[in-house]
Amino acid sequence: MSWGRRYYALQAVGGVAWWLAVATLPWVRTSTLGSLDPVLVAVFDVPLFVVGSALAAAGVRAAAVVTTVWTALVFGGLAVWATVTGEAGWGVLVMLAATVGSVLALALVLLGRVPTEWVTTGPLRIRPADADAPRSRHVAATVLQIVVFWGLFLGVLPLVIAFAEHRWGLHPALPTPLVTGLTVLGAVVLLAASALGIASAAAMSTKGDGTPLPSATANRLVVAGPYRSVRNPMALAGITQGVAVGLLLSSWLVVVYAVAGSVVWNCIVRPLEESDLEERFGDDFRRYADEVRCWVPRWPVPARVGSVPLSASRR
């Protein structure tokens, strides 16, 4: 049995356990369905989610498609219901997890793998920036990227998540001194992480003839500034900034969002980027990767890092 089918089997068992809990434990029914009629929901959910997952586990591909689509629809419907009524917040989180799991399992069932390369297709395709452009253009593009991406991923999305956390009844009541402490800690961490991000972006745009964005990546292998201590300082800064914003907002869901982003980056984006770097820079990158860790900075800088050209280029 493939991992995709194993997941659907687990989901079927989980669905049965959840419906039994809904029928016997009022607090489960209230926290996951709110005032929705559980009988009406079960009429559709039991055959499409529970039975569908079981059939998908048995190898019925059509059932895998149906149960995945149904799971996504339930997640969307519950999210709207929770936002309008302030009920069923935990049900939204459960169905969000089930939707992510079902989509990944469906890819395994239909394709035999998760097509992570789709992340870097179309406008997001990894490609070097214009090597003939002046350095000022790379710096300007980097500044624009920082404004847009930090504004979206560290501003808009966390505020939406924090709003949902409160609206869905998922935000715990915290004492004022704790909130104040989290705010101060978040501000300090955010400033430090932002400084790391800016220093990393500056090194990439001035030393690498490119930008931090994969679709306009550097033309040179950058082993300067923060890149001398850690291979992914921009990603490390972004993840830490996300956690810091969660602390500022006293939002555990925003912290989870930042941690989930780190998993996505490490498991999907990083392997694609490093494969591209190895293809373009060969032994220079392999030697650099051997000496500098991916996520944990080294200080002092390993002596052999200096033997890697600070701006080795491959055309």
Side-chain angles (χ1 to χ4, degrees):
M1 181 183 291
S2 69
W3 284 108
R5 291 171 60 187
R6 288 188 180 94
Y7 171 81
Y8 284 119
L10 180 63
Q11 182 165 273
V13 173
V16 170
W18 178 63
W19 276 113
L20 288 175
V22 166
T24 57
L25 301 173
W27 67 270
V28 174
R29 181 170 64 252
T30 301
S31 61
T32 58
L33 291 177
S35 58
L36 287 170
D37 184 351
V39 175
L40 180 61
V41 177
V43 166
F44 296 96
D45 193 68
V46 170
L48 294 173
F49 183 76
V50 179
V51 177
S53 295
L55 291 174
V60 181
R61 292 190 169 193
V65 174
V66 170
T67 195
T68 299
V69 171
W70 171 252
T71 302
L73 289 174
V74 171
F75 161 65
L78 268 182
V80 173
W81 175 261
T83 303
V84 172
T85 66
E87 303 174 346
W90 287 106
V92 178
L93 293 189
V94 170
M95 294 313 298
L96 172 60
T99 299
V100 173
S102 293
V103 169
L104 295 176
L106 182 63
L108 292 172
V109 167
L110 297 182
L111 304 175
R113 62 187 182 87
V114 177
T116 56
E117 70 277 4
W118 290 2
V119 174
T120 54
T121 57
L124 298 179
R125 178 172 60 87
I126 298 177
R127 56 187 180 274
D130 182 3
D132 297 324
R135 180 172 297 173
S136 59
R137 184 180 299 178
H138 298 312
V139 172
T142 298
V143 171
L144 179 61
Q145 289 172 21
I146 288 176
V147 171
V148 171
F149 283 89
W150 286 12
L152 176 62
F153 292 105
L154 301 176
V156 175
L157 291 181
L159 287 174
V160 170
I161 292 170
F163 167 79
E165 181 180 320
H166 284 270
R167 181 59 182 163
W168 297 349
L170 301 174
H171 185 74
L174 301 175
T176 300
L178 178 58
V179 173
T180 301
L182 291 175
T183 301
V184 172
L185 177 62
V188 172
V189 174
L190 181 61
L191 287 174
S194 298
L196 173 62
I198 291 172
S200 304
M204 183 66 69
S205 59
T206 60
K207 301 290 186 181
D209 291 340
T211 77
L213 197 65
S215 59
T217 191
N219 286 275
R220 297 175 181 273
L221 178 62
V222 178
V223 191
Y227 290 91
R228 290 176 60 82
S229 298
V230 64
R231 295 209 307 272
N232 293 283
M234 283 290 292
L236 181 62
I239 294 161
T240 307
Q241 285 172 307
V243 172
V245 171
L247 296 176
L248 279 170
L249 298 174
S250 299
S251 170
W252 69 273
L253 272 184
V254 173
V255 174
V256 170
Y257 151 79
V259 174
S262 71
V263 173
V264 171
W265 182 272
N266 188 64
C267 297
I268 296 178
V269 178
R270 182 183 63 83
L272 296 172
E273 283 197 345
E274 292 194 345
S275 176
D276 171 72
L277 290 170
E278 185 172 3
E279 179 181 347
R280 288 194 292 139
F281 301 117
D283 290 338
D284 288 333
F285 175 74
R286 284 187 286 271
R287 187 165 64 253
Y288 171 61
D290 286 341
E291 296 301 322
V292 179
R293 291 183 294 214
C294 178
W295 292 112
V296 181
R298 275 187 167 180
W299 194 262
V301 177
R304 288 186 59 190
V305 172
S307 66
V308 180
L310 292 183
S311 56
S313 64
R314 293 287 185 273
R315 296 292 182 88

